[in-house]
Structure formats: structure tokens, C-alpha cells
Amino acid sequence: MTELSRLPIEIIYTICTYLPDKELVKLARMNAWYGYWLSPLLGERMRHYVENEGWRIHIDVLANFNPLVDESSFFSYRFSKELLLLTEFTGIDPHTLSLEFKLCPIDNEGLDCVKDPKETDVSLVLYNNVKSNINILAYFTQISTSDKKRLRHVNQAGITAMDDRTLWNILADKHDYQGMAAICPSFRTGYTITQDLSDDMVALADGFKETYRKNTVGFPHKEYTPQSNQVHDNLEDPAIISFERVEVSPEWWIRQMDITTGVETPAYSGADFFMQLVC
């Protein structure tokens, strides 16, 4: 019997087009050779699901900042900053089979990505002397691809939290760092944190300072005192964290589609498979 891998790649492609998604992934996971040659076919299917069926990953980054008026103050006047992001499929890694997505801000209607966004649209400002809690929530959604877009399905896919103290410890040794925040082993959100700021980033940091001031010395029923403005005056050397990409395994993606639709991808029997091959 001829081994499948000895057939011309065009014939292997033709055979594999009849495989359900789960079986295609299993075959691609057999070894590096299958993974490399089948990754384009798997990538084509994922792009079809995104562009033609509207399956997307929605990321909600919620950062809570806790400005203390002074060290003796019992209360802090928390304020928040939220980033609403949507994924755009960019490709598949032929070595790991990870599905790769770019993160973009959501448009005003909440159903599509902003085209040509600025880096500041996916970024948050951090200061070492301001306690920050960053939560990342992920949702698996389906948005209709017709002219009148509407949300068809949504399923919460996971949540993770980032420790700002860990980020500042990293920046103690370097001014730039790229990392991944894992929601689960099969789902990771990529970010970059830097203290080398562009002009746009400096403007973003200045806007944070103003918001911070309003939530300390300008808080309703809070009188201005020199102590209450001390922390604001000491806001120096900001860092910018930008959320840029998402990587998920194809197994995770297929499982989310099954959960959202309530219907599992059908598994063909051997007879069905070869009947379709012949036809």
C-alpha cells in the first residue's frame, strides 16, 4: 500500500478537502511534514469561517486604576479604561498550527473593525505609582456578513488577569518587552509594553494624567489640598501596553464553534469518505 505522504501534494490536498475539520487537524498534528503541507488548507478553512460565516473573537480589556489621594486616605477614587477589540485573521503558523489574529478596535456600531487604526487605539497607560488591575475577557462571536450586520451568537470563552507589578519588574531591566497573556493553554493574547514613547503615545499619557487629576483633586465633594495633588505631580516615566494579536489552537476554534452552534462537526465514516472521493 502506498503511504499517503508519498503521493503528489496536489492529490493529498484533494483527499484532505473531504476531511472534516477535526480530522484534518488530527492529520496535520501527526508530524511536522503533515503540519507544514496541510497548514495552508487549514488556514483557508479558518479564513472562510471568518470572512464568509462571520466567526470572530471579541476581546474586552478592562483596566481599573486606583488613585490614592494620600497614604492616610482610606478611600481611593477608582476609574476605568476599556478597550473593545475584534480580531482579524492574518494566517496560520505552519510549525505550531496556531491561528494568528490581529487585534483592532471595534467601530461605533460594535460589529466590525476600525480600518487603519492607530496604535493608541489598542493601548493603555501605566504608571509605577498607580495601582492598576487589568482583566482580559474573551468572547467567541458570530456576526452576520451581510450589509446589515447583526450579532448572531456570542459565547464567553475565558478570562485572565494581568499583574501590573510583574510588568514593572520586567521593565526594571528593559524598556521594551513582548509577552503573551494566557487565557488558557490554547488561547493567548499578545502584547507589547514599552517606555520608549512616540509623540502619539506621549499625548495618550498626558490624557491619562488629566483623567487621573480629575479623579483625585477634582473628585466631587473632595477639597483640593497640596497632599491630594502630590501623587498627580509625581506621575513620571509612563509605560504603554498595547494589545496587538491573538493566537489560538485550531482545536480551540473548532470546539468554540461546536459550543456556540450546539452542533458538532460531523465525523465521516470510512465508506462516506471514499464515496465522496470517488464522486
Side-chain angles (χ1 to χ4, degrees):
M1 179 181 292
T2 302
E3 294 181 6
L4 181 63
S5 59
R6 294 182 180 274
L7 296 174
I9 192 63
E10 294 82 3
I11 295 179
I12 295 177
Y13 273 7
T14 301
I15 293 174
C16 290
T17 56
Y18 293 99
L19 289 176
D21 295 336
K22 292 179 182 178
E23 304 307 317
L24 178 62
V25 173
K26 287 180 182 179
L27 182 59
R29 292 287 191 199
M30 284 186 63
N31 56 44
W33 189 92
Y34 281 112
Y36 180 83
W37 288 108
L38 295 182
S39 59
L41 179 58
L42 187 58
E44 289 175 8
R45 291 197 185 183
M46 295 304 120
R47 189 175 298 279
H48 170 82
Y49 291 137
V50 172
E51 297 180 355
N52 297 89
E53 298 187 15
W55 294 104
R56 310 287 281 274
I57 300 172
H58 170 96
I59 298 292
D60 185 359
V61 181
L62 179 62
N64 294 316
F65 305 99
N66 297 275
L68 291 172
V69 174
D70 54 56
E71 292 183 358
S72 62
S73 175
F74 180 77
F75 296 102
S76 66
Y77 303 108
R78 185 174 70 176
F79 64 98
S80 301
K81 171 68 175 179
E82 188 174 26
L83 301 176
L84 299 177
L85 309 174
L86 203 61
T87 55
E88 288 283 353
F89 182 67
T90 57
I92 182 170
D93 187 316
H95 304 291
T96 65
L97 298 184
S98 293
L99 308 179
E100 300 172 342
F101 300 83
K102 177 184 177 181
L103 280 173
C104 301
I106 294 179
D107 63 12
N108 292 331
E109 295 182 358
L111 297 173
D112 206 349
C113 293
V114 173
K115 306 303 180 184
D116 300 320
K118 297 180 180 179
E119 188 177 4
T120 53
D121 294 333
V122 296
S123 302
L124 297 170
V125 180
L126 301 177
Y127 281 93
N128 200 1
N129 55 347
V130 177
K131 177 59 181 174
S132 308
N133 300 310
I134 304 175
N135 295 312
I136 304 175
L137 293 85
Y139 300 88
F140 193 73
T141 65
Q142 186 180 27
I143 300 170
S144 62
T145 55
S146 60
D147 292 336
K148 295 183 178 180
K149 294 182 179 296
R150 63 184 181 88
L151 185 64
R152 298 181 61 184
H153 298 287
V154 60
N155 178 56
Q156 184 170 334
I159 183 172
T160 190
M162 301 184 68
D163 181 12
D164 66 330
R165 295 300 95 190
T166 300
L167 296 174
W168 282 109
N169 289 337
I170 293 173
L171 290 177
D173 299 324
K174 56 187 74 176
H175 283 276
D176 295 277
Y177 176 75
Q178 290 186 336
M180 304 293 286
I183 288 180
C184 68
S186 302
F187 188 122
R188 303 189 300 167
T189 303
Y191 65 88
T192 298
I193 186 167
T194 181
Q195 288 189 288
D196 295 328
L197 274 56
S198 64
D199 291 342
D200 288 342
M201 293 303 188
V202 171
L204 185 67
D206 289 342
F208 179 94
K209 278 188 176 183
E210 181 62 21
T211 303
Y212 190 95
R213 185 191 67 81
K214 291 179 180 179
N215 283 272
T216 53
V217 302
F219 194 84
H221 313 302
K222 181 66 185 178
E223 296 181 0
Y224 172 85
T225 64
Q227 292 81 7
S228 66
N229 203 34
Q230 183 178 3
V231 177
H232 170 256
D233 292 339
N234 291 334
L235 290 181
E236 298 177 352
D237 300 325
I240 302 293
I241 182 169
S242 304
F243 297 90
E244 302 168 334
R245 65 192 188 281
V246 163
E247 295 180 4
V248 303
S249 70
E251 292 91 344
W252 181 92
W253 181 276
I254 295 168
R255 184 166 61 251
Q256 292 300 316
M257 288 182 60
D258 290 344
I259 292 173
T260 306
T261 60
V263 179
E264 291 194 7
T265 305
Y268 294 170
S269 67
D272 291 334
F273 171 70
F274 284 106
M275 281 300 293
Q276 292 193 53
L277 249 183
V278 173
C279 296

